[in-house]
């Protein structure tokens, strides 16, 4: 199961135990393994650059799909 969000320029994706997050202040990705670090204290992004790239790519795909769906829904509700 994948959880994805984008709110107030904060963004994240969670797939399984992996969570990739970025806040609006610095826009850098941070990576956490939630089963061993539920408080998000140890950023693993530098240790797992391939996982960051994979999750970021999936985040972008979901974001693009969300925008496409929102535009389509908006065009269907306009008179």
């Amino acid at each position: 199961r994948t959880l994805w969000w984008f709110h107030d320029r904060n963004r994240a994706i969670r797939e399984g135990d992996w969570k990739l997050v970025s806040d609006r202040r610095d826009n850098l990705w941070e990576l956490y393994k939630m089963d061993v670090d539920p408080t998000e204290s140890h950023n693993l992004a530098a240790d797992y650059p391939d996982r960051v790239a994979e999750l970021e790519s999936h985040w972008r795909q979901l974001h693009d799909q969300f925008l496409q769906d929102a535009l389509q829904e908006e065009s269907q509700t306009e008179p």
Side-chain angles (χ1 to χ4, degrees), residues 1-6 11-21 29 34 40 55-56 58-60 62-63:
R1 177 175 163 179
T2 298
L3 299 173
W4 168 92
W5 59 98
F6 180 61
R11 55 196 176 140
I13 187 169
R14 180 167 177 178
E15 292 184 346
D17 293 325
W18 292 101
K19 182 178 177 186
L20 189 68
V21 298
W29 287 111
M34 300 304 291
E40 300 178 16
L55 289 170
E56 180 180 13
H58 195 195
W59 185 93
R60 290 186 186 284
L62 292 168
H63 179 258

Side-chain angles (χ1 to χ4, degrees), residues 46-59:
D47 297 332
Y48 296 93
D50 291 343
R51 176 70 64 174
V52 171
E54 174 187 326
L55 289 170
E56 180 180 13
S57 175
H58 195 195
W59 185 93

